[in-house]
Amino acid sequence: MSEAGILLQRFLQGHPTVFGALLLMIGLLQSAFGIILSVSPCAFRDELGTHFSSAAVLILAGILTLAADKTKSLNLVKACLVLYIICSVVVAVVNIFYLIDLVYNPIRCNTSDNFCQLRHQIAACCTAMRGIVLVLTSLGFFVCISMAAFGCKAVCRPNTTTD
């Protein structure tokens, strides 16, 4: 077996089909929640569309992972490795935004004000949706990190005298 074949086997040990499909599904769910949160924004970041940036990167990483698994090309594995690193950084920043939004709750209500209580209930629903999205994007972050490790096993190797 050639050296490229051995290196590709290292990448294939990470089960890129499963993780590529998982990244694709997480990205699609992230975009679905992004649409819901953009239609009725609960925080300033909802209007900026931060949901869609992480969703786009996760979808691209999933598609590229599936393509690298199907064609078994070392160049696609290198592209996957670069995209995993970019995806990890973007998703980590978006997760920090979600954590800030979960901790910060600006609505303080008086028990006699019905409108304020309604706003508080809406904020509670938004907080629940943000919690779900935070769990999903955290899963996407850890999948990207683990797939980057398998991609690095295939691509990042010490130089030999034959290189």
Side-chain angles (χ1 to χ4, degrees):
M1 183 177 274
S2 69
E3 184 182 4
I6 294 170
L7 295 175
L8 282 173
Q9 288 301 319
R10 289 182 187 169
F11 177 71
L12 294 175
Q13 287 174 350
H15 304 289
T17 305
V18 175
F19 288 125
L22 184 64
L23 285 173
L24 190 62
M25 290 304 297
I26 291 170
L28 290 173
L29 285 171
Q30 175 81 13
S31 62
F33 278 109
I35 290 170
I36 293 169
L37 289 170
S38 294
V39 169
S40 60
C42 300
F44 176 68
R45 284 186 233 347
D46 294 339
E47 296 172 358
L48 294 177
T50 55
H51 312 286
F52 300 112
S53 61
S54 61
V57 175
L58 286 167
I59 289 171
L60 284 175
I63 290 172
L64 196 59
T65 302
L66 291 173
D69 181 51
K70 185 173 174 98
T71 59
K72 295 178 180 40
S73 166
L74 198 56
N75 289 331
L76 278 177
V77 173
K78 290 177 184 178
C80 282
L81 182 60
V82 170
L83 193 57
Y84 293 145
I85 294 168
I86 293 170
C87 184
S88 298
V89 170
V90 170
V91 170
V93 169
V94 171
N95 278 349
I96 290 170
F97 289 157
Y98 287 145
L99 284 172
I100 290 170
D101 288 341
L102 283 175
V103 171
Y104 178 69
N105 186 9
I107 300 174
R108 304 283 182 246
C109 290
N110 187 358
T111 57
S112 63
D113 188 8
N114 289 335
F115 179 70
C116 186
Q117 288 180 353
L118 177 66
R119 285 183 52 213
H120 183 64
Q121 289 174 348
I122 291 171
C125 290
C126 289
T127 302
M129 286 195 331
R130 282 188 200 293
I132 293 169
V133 171
L134 178 66
V135 169
L136 286 173
T137 54
S138 297
L139 178 64
F141 175 76
F142 292 123
V143 168
C144 282
I145 293 292
S146 65
M147 287 306 295
F150 282 104
C152 194
K153 277 185 182 178
V155 176
C156 306
R157 61 187 189 280
N159 290 335
T160 60
T161 57
T162 59
D163 281 349

